[in-house]
Amino acid sequence: IELPESFFGIEPNDHAIYLDVKQYLANQRQATHKSKEKAEIKGSTKKLRKQKGSGAARIGSIKSPVLRGGGRVFGPRADRDYSFKLNKKLKALTRKSALTYRAKAKEIMIIEDLRMDVVKSKDFVNVFNSLNAGVKSVFVANEIDANLYLSSRNVQEIKVTEVAKLNTYD
């Protein structure tokens, strides 16, 4: 099959691919890290000692960040969002660039009408091994057959996805 030059024959943009992969990985981050600050520490609000006369520095609360067991100053917060936006045209360019790299390396294989009659991962692995594809592979289809999806989801290093859900990272 002849691949269209307008899609598979462009000059690849490495920086655009870098940005798209960086965005994909940033969007995967959950940001569930959190440390307690002074106001969130349990403890008394009683003054530890009198303000003057001890010869030491004044000290107000046991929850002070200076003391052991106190709160953290400017610690990580759980409400952080790592995602960032990329323009639609840039994302289209990255997908074209990634597919161009794969086409130049002759790593694109076109299979017509791949369907599974029964949901069996063993049958899917046998079909995959008969194709002599690489270790990591992505099957892209217009519509995913339910049996094909269920047969492939337990196989590591192989991903089955639709054209609309294809991303540069995959």
Side-chain angles (χ1 to χ4, degrees), residues 37-153:
E37 295 182 355
K38 183 177 176 181
E40 299 165 330
I41 300 288
K42 275 190 175 182
S44 174
T45 57
K46 179 181 177 236
K47 205 162 177 57
L48 293 178
R49 62 174 173 247
K50 61 184 185 170
Q51 182 91 345
K52 293 183 168 287
S54 68
R58 55 191 174 183
I59 188 164
S61 170
I62 196 119
K63 302 188 269 182
S64 172
V66 176
L67 299 178
R68 183 176 176 274
R72 175 111 185 253
V73 181
F74 302 124
R77 305 185 70 101
D79 58 351
R80 176 152 183 201
D81 184 17
Y82 289 95
S83 63
F84 60 94
K85 181 186 174 295
L86 287 179
N87 295 332
K88 288 180 184 179
K89 288 183 180 179
L90 182 71
K91 289 185 79 67
L93 175 66
T94 60
R95 282 191 293 274
K96 286 181 183 180
S97 297
L99 289 172
T100 299
Y101 274 128
R102 294 293 177 209
K104 286 181 180 176
K106 305 222 185 276
E107 295 177 349
I108 293 180
M109 189 181 302
I110 298 175
I111 303 164
E112 192 172 331
D113 197 33
L114 178 63
R115 299 212 182 271
M116 302 293 293
D117 297 331
V118 186
V119 178
K120 288 192 79 133
S121 295
K122 188 175 183 180
D123 293 343
F124 178 77
V125 170
N126 290 337
V127 169
F128 177 72
N129 289 338
S130 68
L131 296 173
N132 293 327
V135 177
K136 289 185 178 181
S137 295
V138 178
F139 284 93
V140 182
N142 286 337
E143 296 175 2
I144 295 180
D145 179 27
N147 289 344
L148 176 66
Y149 172 73
L150 293 173
S151 298
S152 67
R153 71 179 175 178

Side-chain angles (χ1 to χ4, degrees), residues 3 10 12 29 57 71 93 131 159:
L3 299 175
I10 66 166
R29 293 183 73 172
L93 175 66
L131 296 173
K159 183 173 181 178

